[in-house]
Amino acid sequence: MIVLVVNSGSSSIKYQLLNMEDETVLCKGMAERIGIPGSRIIHKKAGEKFVIEKPMANHDDALKFVLETLKDEKYGVINDFKEIDAVGHRVVHGGEKFSGSVLIDDEVIKAIEEFSYLAPLHNPPNLMGIKAIMRLLPGVPNVGVFDTAFHAKMPKKAYLYAIPYKYYEKYKIRRYGFHGTSHRYVSRRTAEILGIDYNNSKIITVHLGNGASVAAVKNGKSVDTSMGFTPLEGLVMGTRSGDLDPSIVTFLMEKEGLTSEEVYTILNKKSGVLGLTDNFSSDMRDIEDKALENDPLCRLVLDIYEYRIAKYIGAYVAAMNGVDAISFTAGVGENSPITREEICENYLSYLGIKIDKEKNNVKGVERVISTPDSKVSVLIVPTNEELMIARDTKEIIEKGIKQLEY
């Protein structure tokens, strides 16, 4: 089975074409600058990288160009669009309705539209990609894989906020959590690597990228996660504040004469490590480099960043009444030995965790980095959300079912 995976954003579309017989990536790439000057596709095939410039006014243009590239004589890997058996789409928000991946039909499209008020920057472009593919590849089945779905069955004690209950009933204000596809892939892969029963395990997954979150996965189910009603809650991130006292919002509005939208922008785009370093950088690589050069501010920011992560890990050990494994993933999680080492040694040694510094001194390599006598296993597990989307798509099509339940 050949599956096309599409991740449609507001001005870019990421794609991968996979052969699901052996789960190999035939090609992948990104259409970027859609609707603005300089639009192009960055396409990778068999280790080669191609940059192909072409005007793309909208998502239909972009996906048409992507499909043409897939069967182009020079860049392509298929001879006919009929070789594409199904398309899997990343969709950010599935609300409370979708607790698993789903075969897309008119009813699903309507539901994704309804949930757009919960993810106004993401669901609409996700939908544009879905509708464009349906027009360009009529008759090819489409599957939606939701970032929120893995967390959808958290217990109420984990997802309800202590505000008047009527706001949950009226607006569905609750913890939804994000990065679910990554947390699901990494937790499953962790169990596979360790040879333990996924359905009888306690795993904490630590997704550290520019956006970051932690999840508690007990017996194969997400029971809590650090992101909340929006991706703003939780860890200190590249430009997001993470947790803070809600009174700060009204305080800033009053003292600085700011609108709610302006404060929202500050907390989402001007805070996190970018704000803490006084606009030096939102990239943890820059922060680490300066910290290692004994820059006092960047050293402090790194401490704040690691401390928040460690607090969530500790909370989730308590929430699950134990932990078998902790897995680091995504850009920072996979590629920052110092962050992994300092979190584990400075804050988690009480759990009996011991890190093998030699094994930890790698970037982007799947491996166990704890010592054999460590009471809790610690791993690096590179995330692969596209493969997870493709697997779900294949399973739904082959089983002829409407929806997967995680």
Side-chain angles (χ1 to χ4, degrees), residues 9 23 50 71 80 144 158 229 256 273 345:
E23 297 188 338
F50 306 94
K71 70 181 188 75
D80 194 286
F229 180 62
E256 295 286 324
V273 297
E345 292 195 345

Side-chain angles (χ1 to χ4, degrees), residues 67-349:
L67 293 174
E68 289 171 352
T69 304
L70 296 183
K71 70 181 188 75
D72 181 85
E73 186 175 337
K74 180 178 180 181
Y75 310 116
V77 291
I78 59 174
N79 296 313
D80 194 286
F81 294 148
K82 292 179 181 178
E83 295 177 44
I84 300 173
D85 297 295
V87 183
H89 298 266
R90 181 216 179 191
V91 183
V92 167
H93 217 302
E96 291 188 316
K97 184 177 179 66
F98 298 113
S99 56
S101 300
V102 62
L103 187 68
I104 296 173
D105 56 18
D106 290 342
E107 181 184 344
V108 171
I109 288 175
K110 183 180 178 182
I112 296 172
E113 288 172 340
E114 290 174 356
F115 299 139
S116 289
Y117 80 97
L118 294 171
L121 300 179
H122 297 95
N123 273 28
N126 295 161
L127 270 173
M128 285 190 280
I130 291 168
K131 291 177 179 179
I133 284 290
M134 286 180 156
R135 286 188 288 267
L136 294 165
L137 295 176
V140 176
N142 291 265
V143 170
V145 181
F146 301 87
D147 282 11
T148 53
F150 186 50
H151 308 301
K153 292 185 177 179
M154 284 187 292
K156 279 192 172 184
K157 65 183 179 182
Y159 73 67
L160 282 179
Y161 292 109
I163 61 175
Y165 192 75
K166 64 181 179 180
Y167 297 128
Y168 167 66
E169 294 179 307
K170 188 174 182 180
Y171 302 114
K172 297 302 177 186
I173 295 176
R174 52 160 284 180
R175 179 181 309 280
Y176 287 101
F178 299 87
H179 294 141
T181 305
S182 175
H183 288 297
R184 184 161 59 102
Y185 174 83
V186 172
S187 58
R188 282 179 175 273
R189 183 66 190 137
T190 298
E192 290 172 1
I193 294 168
L194 297 177
I196 61 177
D197 181 2
Y198 185 54
N199 296 316
N200 186 27
S201 64
K202 298 173 181 178
I203 298 169
I204 295 174
T205 47
V206 187
H207 180 111
L208 303 178
N210 195 266
S213 63
V214 183
V217 184
K218 184 177 183 179
N219 301 332
K221 309 292 183 183
S222 173
V223 295
D224 206 346
T225 189
S226 57
M227 284 182 168
F229 180 62
T230 73
L232 181 59
E233 188 180 354
L235 305 180
V236 175
M237 299 174 236
T239 64
R240 298 183 190 133
S241 65
D243 294 342
L244 83 169
D245 184 338
S247 295
I248 292 171
V249 174
T250 52
F251 181 88
L252 286 174
M253 290 174 69
E254 292 169 4
K255 294 296 184 182
E256 295 286 324
L258 301 172
T259 65
S260 59
E261 186 176 347
E262 287 171 330
V263 176
Y264 178 85
T265 298
I266 289 169
L267 297 179
N268 274 281
K269 297 182 178 180
K270 298 180 180 180
S271 296
V273 297
L274 179 66
L276 283 169
T277 58
D278 198 22
N279 294 319
F280 165 64
S281 180
S282 63
D283 191 320
M284 286 306 299
R285 291 171 294 188
D286 298 333
I287 310 305
E288 286 182 14
D289 289 345
K290 285 290 186 181
L292 291 171
E293 294 172 5
N294 296 317
D295 179 282
L297 179 58
C298 286
R299 180 62 257 184
L300 173 61
V301 171
L302 186 57
D303 288 343
I304 293 169
Y305 180 82
E306 293 170 353
Y307 179 65
R308 184 76 59 85
I309 295 165
K311 280 174 65 177
Y312 267 98
I313 292 173
Y316 290 164
V317 172
M320 297 191 293
N321 196 21
V323 62
D324 298 313
I326 299 168
S327 286
F328 291 89
T329 192
V332 180
E334 295 169 25
N335 296 294
S336 177
I338 185 174
T339 299
R340 295 189 298 261
E341 181 180 330
E342 291 185 350
I343 289 170
C344 292
E345 292 195 345
N346 293 347
Y347 301 106
L348 304 178
S349 59

